[in-house]
């Protein structure tokens, strides 16, 4: 069976989504209000951090997405008791943490890359950790070399086995001087989750400083860690002997906020995104305004809308924070098909994040992808045959088509494309969207989309 289809079904069923396909009658503006919960890219890491505590942790605003289900399953196979508290709250009790079998880890990990982040905490608690082959969205090679190097720096012994990787730390983990070749989000989290209980001081240079990472730092500080964040991508961690559990309300999901904002613009709609905040979205908001979108900042969220008039083309380069996030480009590209003129999106974080545009082209968009670094500065993918710059000429009117979700963010952009298109579109493999968008079907309904679900 096609593994993408399998993957979609697995993600969908994890959150009770029993359908694979949505048929959308496009052309209706999205209008109304939706509420965000905690960020996928923080919540899943915060759940792992609970392993480090001597007492239970309480995480609030946990979204019902399949990535959370996967991490929950992984925690449970490692002996962590996970219970649901009051509304959207998870209580994570790590007092009986134990080694899990590779087969169980593999079965629970599915296509997730999260198991790699279990390594530091498990090495501290148990002296060993296993990780299966890792998946994640198909948006490039997504190697784990930085992670393995980081763990070796702390003193871990890494052995490659036919079924995955085994790590051990017979002499414990020790603070280290670590320098990342690229400010990787995951590798920075790896350093944080490992250094907090390592013996001595760790100095990380070239760190990623995304708001989700800063919220993880907040959580670790609540647990008892000592972490200093400098202005030059240097993070210093003084290892401590023990950490307690935390109680924390997760940072809102700014990637989801940007996705609904793009949907409001592309459909000429008006969507109030409850829980969205300005500070973490400054860069997105600037671009939204330049394209011709309008927004109002409120205390309890942000209203995103199309104010009328023509949309304008832009040149964007995705980058690490505080740049324009890679996860924002796919939904926004759909709105750019409606802008008058030529837009350029230069993707500098993942080498293959334009797979989703084939479907847009089939629907009538004019998008060419190039291997050159278009739009400004050269990036690490230039001269390497990766189609990582997109040129979008508009305005074009999209028409309905049968399309298949390729990955999480690309999938959401397909939904937006179908919502803006003239006529009917069938979007299949929508289960993948459940990896990171909570209740997206209910939200579409709330916003007045015209669609039917198919099994
Ligand atoms: N990289 C390596 N070696 C490594 C690790 C990363 O070469 O060992 C490269 C990657 O291949 C990529 C770049 O470094 O080209 C950046 O990757 P990073 O490690 O920053 O990404 P990640 O931690 O795997 C997280 C989010 C992504 C988000 C990126 C960038 C999670 C679970 N995932 O991925 O989110 O796009 O940071 O901000 O936090 C999504 O939500 O759809 C998603 C893909």
């Amino acid at each position: 069976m096609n593994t993408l289809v399998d993957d979609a079904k697995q993600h969908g069923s994890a959150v009770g989504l029993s359908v694979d396909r949505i048929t959308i009658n496009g052309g209706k503006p999205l209008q109304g209000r939706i509420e965000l919960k905690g960020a996928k890219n923080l919540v899943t890491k915060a759940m792992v951090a609970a392993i480090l505590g001597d007492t239970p942790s309480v995480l609030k605003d946990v979204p019902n997405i399949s990535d959370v289900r996967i991490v929950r399953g992984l925690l449970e196979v490692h002996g962590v008791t996970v219970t649901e508290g009051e509304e959207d709250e998870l209580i994570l009790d790590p007092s009986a943490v134990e080694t899990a079998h590779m087969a169980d880890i593999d079965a629970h990990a599915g296509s997730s890359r999260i198991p790699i982040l279990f390594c530091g905490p498990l090495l501290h608690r148990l002296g060993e950790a296993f990780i299966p082959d890792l998946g994640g969205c198909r948006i490039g090679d997504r190697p784990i070399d930085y992670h393995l190097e980081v763990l070796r720096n702390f003193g871990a012994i890494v052995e490659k086995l036919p079924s995955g990787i085994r790590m051990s730390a017979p002499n414990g983990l020790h603070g280290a001087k670590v320098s990342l070749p690229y400010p990787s989000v995951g590798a920075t989290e790896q350093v944080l989750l490992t250094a907090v209980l390592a013996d001595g001081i760790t100095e990380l240079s070239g760190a990623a400083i995304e708001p989700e990472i800063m919220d993880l730092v907040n959580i670790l500080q609540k647990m008892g860690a000592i972490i200093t964040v400098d202005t030059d991508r240097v993070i210093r961690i003084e290892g401590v002997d023990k950490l307690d559990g935390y109680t924390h309300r997760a940072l809102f999901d700014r990637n989801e906020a940007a996705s609904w904002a793009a949907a409001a613009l592309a459909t000429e709609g008006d969507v109030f995104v409850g829980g969205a905040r300005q500070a973490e979205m400054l860069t997105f908001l600037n671009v939204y305004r330049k394209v011709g979108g309008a927004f109002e900042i409120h205390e309890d969220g942000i209203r995103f809308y199309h104010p009328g008039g023509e949309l304008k083309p832009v040149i964007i380069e995705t980058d690490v924070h505080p740049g324009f996030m890679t996860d924002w480009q796919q939904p926004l590209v759909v709105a750019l098909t409606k802008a008058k003129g030529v837009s350029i999106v230069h993707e500098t974080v993942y080498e293959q994040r334009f797979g989703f545009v084939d479907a847009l082209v089939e629907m009538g968009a004019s998008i060419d992808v190039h291997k050159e670094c278009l739009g400004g500065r050269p990036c690490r993918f230039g001269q390497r045959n990766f189609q990582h710059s997109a040129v979008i000429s508009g305005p074009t009117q999209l028409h309905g088509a049968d399309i298949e979700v390729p990955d999480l963010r690309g999938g959401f952009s397909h939904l937006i494309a179908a919502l803006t298109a003239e006529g009917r579109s069938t979007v299949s493999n929508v289960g993948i969207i459940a990896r990171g968008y909570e209740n997206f079907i209910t939200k579409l309904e709330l916003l007045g989309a015209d669609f039917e679900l198919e099994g």
Side-chain angles (χ1 to χ4, degrees):
M1 184 159 4
N2 179 342
T3 54
L4 193 64
V5 174
D6 265 351
D7 212 28
K9 287 195 171 141
Q10 197 191 354
H11 284 293
S13 65
V15 294
L17 179 69
S18 56
V19 298
D20 290 332
R21 266 194 296 267
I22 307 184
T23 298
I24 296 179
N25 296 309
K28 252 185 109 185
L30 292 187
Q31 274 166 339
R33 174 174 178 138
I34 52 135
E35 299 299 328
L36 299 175
K37 293 224 190 90
K40 164 178 92 70
N41 293 348
L42 175 265
V43 166
T44 44
K45 327 298 171 59
M47 292 170 73
V48 178
I51 299 175
L52 294 164
D54 284 353
T55 51
S57 290
V58 180
L59 185 59
K60 297 169 189 272
D61 266 357
V62 178
N64 183 22
I65 53 176
S66 67
D67 271 11
V68 165
R69 295 286 162 147
I70 288 169
V71 180
R72 178 177 180 161
L74 283 168
L75 287 169
E76 285 169 344
V77 298
H78 285 97
V80 178
T81 308
V82 183
T83 44
E84 286 166 35
E86 315 224 306
E87 264 180 59
D88 309 315
E89 198 175 270
L90 283 185
I91 301 152
L92 307 127
D93 182 353
S95 49
V97 166
E98 60 186 7
T99 301
H101 294 293
M102 186 83 93
D104 288 339
I105 303 172
D106 207 7
H108 280 84
S111 59
S112 165
R113 289 169 56 79
I114 292 287
I116 186 78
L117 290 179
F118 277 65
C119 293
L122 288 178
L123 285 171
H124 281 304
R125 294 292 308 262
L126 304 169
E128 64 174 355
F130 297 94
I131 44 167
D133 284 337
L134 300 173
C137 273
R138 290 142 212 253
I139 52 182
D141 245 1
R142 305 195 73 185
I144 54 166
D145 49 340
Y146 303 166
H147 293 259
L148 299 182
E149 194 49 34
V150 159
L151 289 160
R152 283 193 191 102
N153 282 337
F154 283 103
I157 295 169
V158 178
E159 285 167 80
K160 298 209 172 148
L161 308 176
S163 50
I165 294 173
R166 175 176 187 268
M167 287 183 213
S168 55
N171 304 317
L173 297 173
H174 309 282
K177 210 168 159 73
V178 182
S179 175
L180 292 178
Y182 181 81
S184 151
V185 167
T188 300
E189 293 160 343
Q190 183 75 263
V191 172
L192 289 169
L193 291 168
T194 309
V196 283
L197 280 181
D199 174 27
I201 294 178
T202 295
E203 183 185 282
L204 168 65
S205 50
I209 48 163
E210 269 63 9
E212 293 78 14
I213 293 175
M214 293 304 118
D215 210 31
L216 182 62
V217 169
N218 293 338
I219 289 171
L220 293 168
Q221 189 181 51
K222 283 181 176 176
M223 297 176 81
I226 301 173
I227 303 172
T228 313
V229 181
D230 287 346
T231 48
D232 52 357
R233 295 195 180 277
V234 172
I235 302 183
R236 278 187 194 79
I237 303 119
E238 294 177 38
V240 294
D241 291 340
K242 75 184 264 308
L243 295 171
D244 289 319
Y246 63 82
T247 296
H248 190 76
R249 185 172 298 283
L251 174 75
F252 77 99
D253 198 314
R254 65 202 174 105
N255 293 341
E256 185 179 355
S259 300
W260 290 110
L265 190 59
T267 63
E268 299 183 16
D270 189 337
V271 176
F272 189 97
V273 181
R277 291 200 315 230
Q278 180 180 18
E280 291 80 5
M281 299 195 70
L282 276 180
T283 309
F284 178 83
L285 294 172
N286 285 336
V287 171
Y288 199 74
R289 179 168 278 160
K290 284 204 231 175
V291 176
F295 56 86
E296 280 170 14
I297 312 287
H298 293 255
E299 268 187 13
D300 58 341
I302 305 180
R303 174 187 170 210
F304 293 97
Y305 61 102
H306 190 309
E310 270 174 358
L311 296 188
K312 293 174 278 250
V314 282
I315 296 177
I316 305 170
E317 278 184 341
T318 64
D319 206 347
V320 293
H321 188 76
F324 190 90
M325 271 211 82
T326 167
D327 301 281
W328 297 339
Q329 59 96 343
Q330 298 89 331
L332 198 71
V333 161
V334 185
L336 294 178
T337 65
K338 305 197 154 259
K340 189 172 180 205
V342 177
S343 296
I344 295 174
V345 179
H346 179 201
E347 170 60 62
T348 79
V349 179
Y350 290 114
E351 66 273 30
Q352 286 181 49
R353 223 176 183 182
F354 284 120
F356 74 99
V357 304
D358 293 348
L360 305 190
V361 170
E362 197 186 324
M363 296 172 85
S366 168
I367 306 177
D368 294 308
V369 283
H370 299 265
K371 59 183 190 328
E372 290 77 16
C373 297
L374 303 181
R377 72 194 163 99
C379 77
R380 55 205 169 109
F381 306 137
Q383 317 295 327
R384 287 185 54 205
N385 271 329
F386 294 123
Q387 306 272 7
H388 71 293
S389 294
V391 176
I392 305 125
S393 309
T396 46
Q397 171 61 57
L398 302 188
H399 49 76
D402 288 353
I403 55 180
E404 208 173 272
V405 165
D407 62 70
L408 175 63
R409 307 292 168 197
F412 198 87
S413 84
H414 285 185
L415 284 184
I416 304 177
L419 290 163
T420 69
E422 222 163 48
R424 276 166 88 83
S425 298
T426 301
V427 188
S428 44
N429 287 347
V430 291
I432 290 176
I433 300 172
R435 267 194 59 205
Y437 292 91
E438 185 186 46
N439 298 336
F440 66 96
I441 305 269
T442 313
K443 286 175 183 163
L444 286 173
E445 226 163 50
L446 274 172
L447 298 175
D450 179 0
F451 66 92
E452 288 139 42
L453 302 174
E454 289 176 51

